[in-house]
Amino acid sequence: MADSKRPRSRSVLVIDTGGTFSMEYDSEQVSPGKRGLDVGKDHQEVLKKLKSISEGEYEYFDDKGQEKDRYSKKNFSWTYHALSERIDSSSATPQSWHDIAKVIFENQLSFDAFVVIHGTDTLMYASAGITFLLPKFTKPVIVTGAQIPVLAPGASDAVGNFLGSLAFATWTAFLRSEKSCHAYHSLKGVFVYFNTKLMRGTTVVKVDSQRWDAFDSPRIRFVGELIEGKPVVTESQTGALIRLLDPDERDLSISPKLYNLPSGTNPYPLVIHLFPGLSLESFAIYKHDAIILAAFGCGNGPDTIKESLLDYLDKFGLVAVVSECLSGSTSAAYTACVESWDKKH
C-alpha cells in the first residue's frame, strides 16, 4: 500500500572545514580564519551570515550580476559545526578527510543529512576520500565550497552553493519502491554540489580555478540539478543512490563502519602523469606500495618506461592504469596499452 505521508522535518549537520567559502574577505589577501579566544569571531560571523541566508526568502545573483534564483524557507533545520582548525584545503591530508568522516559517522543517529563546507582546491579528493571511508553510508552527505567567500561584499557563489546543498540534503521524493508501491525516498551516499549541479563524490573534477562553474563530472552524468530553486534528481540515477524513508520515525539506520587510514612508510600511491619523452630508469626507486599511472588515450604508454615498470611490478606488484582523458575508459585494444604489458611479461 502506498504511503503518501510526508516525512517529518529533516535535520542537517553543517560541517565547516575552512576553505575560501568561510574565509575572511580581504581585498589584498584571503586567509582562513581560526577558531580560538582571540579570533573566535571568525566562524561566528560565518554562522551569522549562513543564518541570514537560510531564514526566509533570499535572492542571489550569478558572477555576471544577473539574478539567478529565489529561495524561500524550507521545511528543515540545520546545526553548524566548525572544526577546531579550519584550513586552506591545499593543506588538507588524508587525515583531514578522516576527521570529517569521523564527525559524520559519530553524528549519524542525530541528523538526517550532512553538508560539508570545503575548500575547492582539493574538494574532489576529499569527496572521494569520504566516500571510501564511509562505505555504504545510508544518509546524504553533500560536499560544497565556493570561489568567493560568503562574507565577501557583493555577489558570492557561496550563497547558492550553500542553499542548493541544503536543498539536496533534505530532498525527498514520492517514488516507486522495490516492492512496487510508492513511498518517500531520500538520497544516500556522498555527493558534490556546485553551481546548481549535484554530482557523485567519486566522479567530480575541478575544471576551472576562477569561474563559479568550477566542477564537472565528465565520466558520469550529473545526479541532479537545481531548477528554479527546486532540487531535481535525474530519474535514471535513482536506485543505488536513494533509500526508503519512514515518514514517522527518525532514521536510525547506521553505516556499517568507518575505515581507518592505511599505515606504513609509504601507504598512499604515487601518481605519475605520462608525457611524451618520459624515460624512467626505475619505478622501484619510489618504494611506494602502489602507483597510479595516468596514461595516454585508452591507457597507452611509451616503450621507454616498459622495462622499468615491469621491474616495479616484480618487486611491488600493483600499478593502476587510468586514462588522462576527462571521459572514456582504458582499453587493451592497442599493443601500447600499459595494462597488457604485465600479461605478456
Side-chain angles (χ1 to χ4, degrees):
M1 183 176 180
D3 188 352
S4 59
K5 184 177 180 180
R6 282 193 173 276
R8 53 167 180 74
S9 177
R10 314 289 287 163
S11 62
V12 183
L13 179 62
V14 177
I15 304 170
D16 185 357
T17 73
T20 298
F21 186 108
S22 58
M23 287 181 179
E24 286 189 310
Y25 189 80
D26 188 317
S27 59
E28 296 182 358
Q29 182 179 4
V30 178
S31 58
K34 290 186 177 181
R35 188 178 176 189
L37 294 176
D38 56 342
V39 288
K41 64 179 184 179
D42 291 350
H43 80 279
Q44 291 294 342
E45 289 300 314
V46 172
L47 174 57
K48 181 180 178 181
K49 179 69 173 182
L50 295 182
K51 283 183 176 180
S52 71
I53 291 171
S54 66
E55 293 176 357
E57 191 173 271
Y58 190 93
E59 297 177 1
Y60 86 95
F61 302 84
D62 62 18
D63 51 354
K64 297 180 177 61
Q66 301 295 316
E67 182 176 333
K68 191 151 190 175
D69 263 317
R70 184 189 300 267
Y71 292 86
S72 58
K73 191 173 182 180
K74 308 295 182 181
N75 185 31
F76 61 82
S77 62
W78 57 272
T79 301
Y80 178 83
H81 173 75
L83 294 188
S84 58
E85 185 176 3
R86 293 179 295 151
I87 62 172
D88 187 303
S89 73
S90 60
S91 297
T93 66
Q95 183 61 54
S96 306
W97 314 333
H98 193 273
D99 292 343
I100 298 168
K102 185 178 180 182
V103 172
I104 295 170
F105 185 80
E106 293 178 345
N107 286 277
Q108 60 181 313
L109 290 181
S110 301
F111 296 92
D112 299 306
F114 301 85
V115 169
V116 178
I117 296 172
H118 197 281
T120 61
D121 281 353
T122 61
L123 186 148
M124 67 181 191
Y125 298 97
S127 61
I130 296 169
T131 301
F132 295 122
L133 287 167
L134 293 171
K136 300 180 181 179
F137 197 69
T138 59
K139 296 180 180 180
V141 177
I142 315 296
V143 185
T144 193
Q147 299 284 63
I148 304 294
V150 71
L151 297 176
S156 168
D157 59 330
V159 175
N161 288 343
F162 178 64
L163 292 172
S165 296
L166 288 176
F168 275 107
T170 58
W171 172 85
T172 59
F174 196 57
L175 304 170
R176 183 179 295 276
S177 68
E178 295 178 355
K179 297 180 179 180
S180 297
C181 64
H182 282 76
Y184 277 96
H185 293 71
S186 73
L187 291 168
K188 65 176 181 180
V190 181
F191 305 88
V192 169
Y193 177 83
F194 219 91
N195 196 47
T196 75
K197 298 178 294 189
L198 186 73
M199 299 157 277
R200 299 188 193 210
T202 53
T203 65
V204 69
V205 178
K206 187 174 184 180
V207 295
D208 198 288
S209 63
Q210 294 180 314
R211 289 190 304 115
W212 289 12
D213 193 17
F215 289 87
D216 200 355
S217 179
R219 296 180 186 271
I220 298 179
R221 64 175 299 181
F222 307 144
V223 176
E225 188 174 5
L226 202 70
I227 301 176
E228 297 182 354
K230 297 180 180 179
V232 177
V233 174
T234 307
E235 184 177 354
S236 63
Q237 298 289 351
T238 58
L241 304 179
I242 64 171
R243 64 186 308 274
L244 185 66
L245 288 177
D246 185 330
D248 298 311
E249 301 295 330
R250 177 167 292 281
D251 187 357
L252 298 180
S253 58
I254 300 177
S255 181
K257 69 185 302 182
L258 167 64
Y259 276 121
N260 292 320
L261 295 173
S263 59
T265 305
N266 293 297
Y268 303 108
L270 175 68
V271 180
I272 298 177
H273 285 261
L274 297 185
F275 59 87
L278 173 66
S279 178
L280 291 173
E281 293 183 3
S282 176
F283 280 89
I285 62 173
Y286 296 112
K287 298 182 179 179
H288 282 254
D289 294 337
I291 289 176
I292 298 176
L293 200 65
F296 306 132
C298 294
N300 302 327
D303 290 337
T304 52
I305 68 168
K306 185 173 182 178
E307 184 176 343
S308 60
L309 184 66
L310 293 176
D311 178 58
Y312 174 87
L313 285 169
D314 285 338
K315 295 178 179 178
F316 296 92
L318 183 59
V319 175
V321 182
V322 299
S323 173
E324 66 175 359
C325 300
L326 287 178
S327 61
S329 60
T330 59
S331 169
Y334 296 89
T335 56
C337 178
V338 178
E339 291 180 2
S340 65
W341 292 351
D342 186 42
K343 296 175 183 177
K344 298 175 181 178
H345 180 48

